[in-house]
Amino acid sequence: MKKLFFVSLLAILGAPAAFGASSTPWWQQPTICRISTTNCYVGMGTGFDAGMWDASANCRGMKLICPTALVKGGDEPVPMGKSAISKGTEIKKDFDTGVLAGGCFGARKTSANGTLASVNGKYVNVWCRGILDDPDETVATGEISTGAQPTCATLAERGYVAVVNNRCYGKYYNPNEYYIECGSDLLPTRLIVLNGADYQAGPSANTPATMDAAKTKFDSMYKVSREQHEKYFKPAN
């Protein structure tokens, strides 16, 4: 009986054609167990290390996180598994690991169409390139200072006003044509048109000798202009 069973088993193993599997290797059979790819990245290219195994997701492939986005910093991008990225304990709160920043993931968070950037959990203005004397960092839409922010006075010295200019802050006003008057806020209190006056021309008898005198004269001119406007330009009933 045992010999008959052994022969029958050999007959089955030696006749795979009867089961329709002669052209398909055993490892490609539909009955072979395979790891689910549900948690895997759909595609990998720039910003991924496709050769590394992510044990937390049971899949091959890890994201390369930029050193600027990591709490510990560093000089090179670091491959991280999905679990570590999800926890976020090793990633700075100001950075988004879902956005590419060159050859790795971890761009600084922005809002308002890129005109604001997150610094220490708060949003600061993104300045158009060339406005800041010594920017700390460059983002996609401009430059930022991660420390002290520009003031109205420091911007006015170079002819700039802190208003949105496309996707960054900083609009230029030629000092030969405009006088930027600053108060206590970031935006100037007044923008005075100089009407083509030549600031290099010599003083006349009516030219104010000091800045205080010039401001007093401007205030007087503004008052007279407003009174005349109210007198001759009355709203329609």
Side-chain angles (χ1 to χ4, degrees), residues 146-167:
T146 56
Q149 299 299 307
T151 63
C152 177
T154 58
L155 293 170
E157 288 177 0
R158 306 181 63 186
Y160 288 101
V161 173
V163 294
V164 175
N165 182 10
N166 195 12
R167 295 185 65 192

Side-chain angles (χ1 to χ4, degrees), residues 17-237:
F19 295 90
S22 60
S23 61
T24 306
W26 67 265
W27 58 89
Q28 293 181 359
Q29 292 290 330
T31 55
I32 298 299
C33 295
R34 293 180 177 84
I35 295 174
S36 173
T37 59
T38 303
N39 295 327
C40 297
Y41 293 111
V42 176
M44 285 180 281
T46 303
F48 290 91
D49 188 331
M52 296 196 71
W53 178 260
D54 182 0
S56 65
N58 280 330
C59 279
R60 192 169 302 281
M62 287 190 178
K63 270 188 176 181
L64 296 173
I65 308 301
C66 300
T68 52
L70 296 172
V71 174
K72 65 180 181 181
D75 299 320
E76 297 292 335
V78 176
M80 293 184 67
K82 284 195 171 185
S83 177
I85 293 174
S86 178
K87 289 179 180 177
T89 55
E90 302 176 48
I91 299 167
K92 294 177 183 176
K93 58 185 177 182
D94 294 319
F95 291 82
D96 186 350
T97 55
V99 180
L100 268 174
C104 51
F105 285 90
R108 187 176 287 275
K109 293 177 182 178
T110 60
S111 68
N113 198 31
T115 59
L116 300 175
S118 179
V119 175
N120 297 324
K122 297 181 179 179
Y123 281 92
V124 301
N125 289 347
V126 175
W127 300 96
C128 300
R129 287 173 173 81
I131 293 179
L132 298 178
D133 284 330
D134 188 20
D136 294 313
E137 191 176 317
T138 299
V139 296
T141 52
E143 299 171 337
I144 64 171
S145 173
T146 56
Q149 299 299 307
T151 63
C152 177
T154 58
L155 293 170
E157 288 177 0
R158 306 181 63 186
Y160 288 101
V161 173
V163 294
V164 175
N165 182 10
N166 195 12
R167 295 185 65 192
C168 52
Y169 277 86
K171 187 173 181 179
Y172 179 74
Y173 288 90
N174 190 332
N176 295 337
E177 301 175 5
Y178 299 91
Y179 173 71
I180 302 171
E181 181 179 288
C182 292
S184 58
D185 297 324
L186 180 59
L187 288 174
T189 54
R190 283 189 294 188
L191 187 64
I192 301 170
V193 181
L194 300 180
N195 294 326
D198 185 358
Y199 75 98
Q200 294 180 338
S204 65
N206 295 324
T207 301
T210 65
M211 182 60 71
D212 288 338
K215 185 175 181 180
T216 300
K217 185 172 182 177
F218 277 128
D219 288 339
S220 175
M221 293 168 62
Y222 176 74
K223 180 180 178 182
V224 172
S225 177
R226 184 176 60 184
E227 290 174 349
Q228 293 297 311
H229 184 277
E230 293 175 351
K231 181 178 180 181
Y232 294 104
F233 294 89
K234 297 185 180 297
N237 295 328

